[in-house]
């Protein structure tokens, strides 16, 4: 029995971990906002490395804004991008009958 490629699920686990790192500002009041200044560009850069092309750049911009704006850290940007990539935007295969 062959197992399917687990790479997407590894990326899901990483996405959940990265979203949890974005929640640090809620755990440490005062220091958290300073951490967001550092985390916002880092999260955008990581997003471009995880998802290539135009959708990765768009997601990186959204991730940067979400992390930089106070109060928006609750949005799980990495997990939403994973869902968009692996669940909602699967290309439908066209069957051509001959």
């Amino acid at each position: 029995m062959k197992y399917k490629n687990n790479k997407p699920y590894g990326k899901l686990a990483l996405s959940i971990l990265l979203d949890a790192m974005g929640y640090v500002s809620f755990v440490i009041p005062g220091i958290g906002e300073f951490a967001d200044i550092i985390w916002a560009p880092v999260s955008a850069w990581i997003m471009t490395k995880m998802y290539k092309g135009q959708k990765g750049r768009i997601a990186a911009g959204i991730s940067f804004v979400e992390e930089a704006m106070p109060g928006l850290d609750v949005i799980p940007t990495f997990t939403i991008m994973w869902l968009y990539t692996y669940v909602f935007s699967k290309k439908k295969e066209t069957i051509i009958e001959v």
Side-chain angles (χ1 to χ4, degrees), residues 2-62:
K2 285 190 173 183
Y3 292 98
K4 292 183 179 182
N5 186 358
N6 287 329
K7 187 175 180 182
Y9 296 106
K11 196 177 270 191
L12 174 61
L14 180 60
S15 295
I16 292 169
L17 176 69
L18 291 168
D19 284 330
M21 289 176 63
Y23 297 148
V24 168
S25 64
F26 291 114
V27 175
I28 309 169
I31 297 174
E33 281 68 31
F34 176 72
D36 283 346
I37 294 170
I38 296 168
W39 179 243
V42 171
S43 71
W45 180 79
I46 293 171
M47 188 71 82
T48 62
K49 296 303 175 192
M50 287 179 69
Y51 301 98
K52 302 294 181 188
Q54 182 178 3
K55 69 179 179 179
R57 289 189 302 273
I58 292 170
I62 293 169

